[in-house]
Amino acid sequence: MHHRLLCPVCAGSDLRTEASAGAGVVRHATVVHRNTPAARNVSLVEMAEGFTVRGRVMGAPADVHSGDRVQLSTAQDPVRSQPVFQLVDGPYRGWS
């Protein structure tokens, strides 16, 4: 469960709890190099239920791309208290 005080789109505070089975698709991924000893991934994940959350995808940060399918993990984020996801099909390998 991830709590947010304000909507990242409209900055409104009238939020509601949403349930999810944990499946989603990475819509945006970036590699962050600050405030941690090593680079880390930060992604926006669109959940199958239609809402979007910010979290971390396990694995090498450069292996996470938009369009990757992910599943919510029980792992804990050691840096931030954000949801952690794992890649469903493994890292993106490019066009064959």
Side-chain angles (χ1 to χ4, degrees):
M1 180 180 235
H2 181 67
H3 297 283
R4 179 176 286 280
L5 300 176
L6 297 174
C7 171
V9 176
C10 70
S13 61
D14 185 22
L15 304 177
R16 67 180 183 272
T17 301
E18 294 281 347
S20 175
V25 175
V26 174
R27 290 299 173 210
H28 178 76
T30 190
V31 178
V32 177
H33 296 275
R34 66 181 148 102
N35 299 331
T36 60
R40 62 185 168 86
N41 160 275
V42 176
S43 294
L44 293 178
V45 176
E46 182 179 342
M47 306 306 292
E49 294 79 12
F51 59 92
T52 302
V53 297
R54 183 176 69 183
R56 185 176 68 83
V57 179
M58 292 189 290
D63 284 345
V64 180
H65 297 84
S66 295
D68 286 346
R69 292 184 325 125
V70 294
Q71 177 67 41
L72 188 62
S73 171
T74 57
Q76 299 293 315
D77 187 331
V79 178
R80 308 270 190 271
S81 60
Q82 296 179 340
V84 177
F85 297 88
Q86 60 189 15
L87 292 168
V88 171
D89 299 323
Y92 174 80
R93 299 293 181 206
W95 298 102
S96 324

